[in-house]
Amino acid sequence: MWTRREYLKAMLAAGTTAGLGWPVGRAGERDPDAILRIVAKPDTVPIWKGEPTAVFRYVGEVIKGRQDALRLSGGYLGPTLEFRRGERVRIHFENRLDEASIIHWHGVIVPERDDGHPRFAISPGGSYLYEFTVKNPAGTYLYHPHPHGRTGFQVYHGMAGMLIVREPAEAQMGLPEGPYELPLVIQDRRVGRGNRLIFKRMMMDDMSGVLGDEVLVNGRPDAAFKVRPRTYRLRILNASNARIYKLAWSDGRPLVVIGTDNGLLDAAHGPHPYPYIMLGPTERVEVLEDFGQRKPGVELALTSQEFSVGSGMMGGGMGGMMSGGGMMGDGGMMGGGGMMGGGMGGMMGGGMMGADQGQEMPIARFTVARERPVRGDPVRLPQPQPLPEPRFEVKTRLAFAHMRGSLNRRTFDMRDMSAVADDERLPLGKPVLWTFENSDGMMDMPHPMHIHGVRFRIMRREGPTPHSVAAGLMDGGFKDTVLVFPDERVSVQLVPTEPGLFMYHCHNLEHEDGGMMRNFRAA
Ligand code: C2O
Ligand code: CU
Ligand code: CU
């Protein structure tokens, strides 16, 4: 397998790029508006009081062009990238880790060669050249590594960053800007002695995914923000490996949603108030928050409320016994009740677990300044666009059994990373209805399903959506990741616009690394 750089070198040596389809130097392609360098490397960063923490991180700079295309961010997080719709960006990626890696621009629709497929992973010391035109509409996206089997480990240790796409039309929408735009990158972590990050601790982590027992925001613990009594645009990204959040304000006020994973809502769907917001791994939500509606000087908190997603890690016969009883929010009950029996009982004990999916967790505190509130402009979101009628259907059954997830009973094959089955071929440019059915497992658990290279709309959600999450599902806007709960069938509609081989997978990173990932080909 050639790296892209090797390709380019060979092409330059040959004095031509004709026929290969690479954008660099090809007649008709304009020069990039911004050229960036992003380096992945081991580092140490002060996160908690005391010793600094060993992390992997992205660092970067603008080499040429628009200087605000890259902004340093907090803690260990990678820099925030800021692209404009329609512009052309070139990114030099250098891997200075001691393991293979590659960057994927999550939610961003780029050509096959720029999408960070695991088969493009580059060895330590290697580099990769990306160049693409930013087609996505204004919204909140992210980037993260995608080497097969190591994505969870690398993300957990710090490799992820926010990617913002802006467009001029936003200026007419009355959205808060500048200091009144607040990115909130939410991640859970577990810290051990010497401030080390603790990744997998036990077999169970492959099933539930790696869950931390504290929440970091923008790479920092105990997040606290001073805000002014006026309207903010919050860009919330769940960059956790496996944790699902149920976001709510401590004072019970609704969250007013203006955007989802893949762009702003249209005027038919937003701004819309929700009592709480369910946010699975890599899902994003943009919230319009008018802190002027609160008392000056008041302190409020964003929390993740308790919820229950059925039987979670146990499933099967255990499912019925354990769901509904607030089980997932109370680790103690499991160990204490001895329901698990045998060896499992000990492992699942309250003390060991302490960080179940669905347990309540504090996220961030906000203090509203004591000053006169400033009223915001009315927000005008874009007009709705009609959706084309899908003629083509595909169906994927999600299963989790014998410690790993599968998609239509298949897993990702390391030795044949380009494998595509017949039911994984999509017609380029044609509307497709893709149904995920989470009903084939021995274990009931939610799967955040993600499709590369497209944005989709949720057409139908059928089956038993857990009661404690239903009112917080953001099913109205454009998405690239969707939570599929046990026994649900969720149908999404999309139009593949990029030809080639792309991935779809569960974005619980431990499920993904375990092989709950496949290719599809659009042609
Ligand atoms: Cu967020 Cu396949 O990735
Ligand atoms: Cu992706
Ligand atoms: Cu999964």
Side-chain angles (χ1 to χ4, degrees), residues 250-265:
S250 54
D251 60 2
R253 281 179 63 93
L255 294 119
V256 178
V257 173
I258 55 165
T260 46
D261 296 353
N262 220 286
L264 292 165
L265 294 177

Side-chain angles (χ1 to χ4, degrees), residues 104-107 144 450-452:
H104 168 59
W105 320 98
H106 180 120
H144 63 75
H450 170 53
I451 311 177
H452 284 217

Side-chain angles (χ1 to χ4, degrees), residues 104 106 142 144 146 282 450 452 503 505 507 512 517:
H104 168 59
H106 180 120
L142 65 147
H144 63 75
H146 221 304
T282 70
H450 170 53
H452 284 217
M503 326 219 59
H505 56 86
H507 222 297
E512 171 185 337
M517 174 163 82

Side-chain angles (χ1 to χ4, degrees), residues 446-448 506 508 511 516:
H447 298 290
C506 177
N508 176 317
H511 293 184
M516 196 175 183

Side-chain angles (χ1 to χ4, degrees), residues 470-490:
L473 295 172
M474 305 288 101
D475 286 355
F478 277 100
K479 302 273 297 164
D480 49 58
T481 308
V482 60
L483 280 167
V484 186
F485 291 96
D487 295 316
E488 274 193 332
R489 276 158 52 106
V490 178

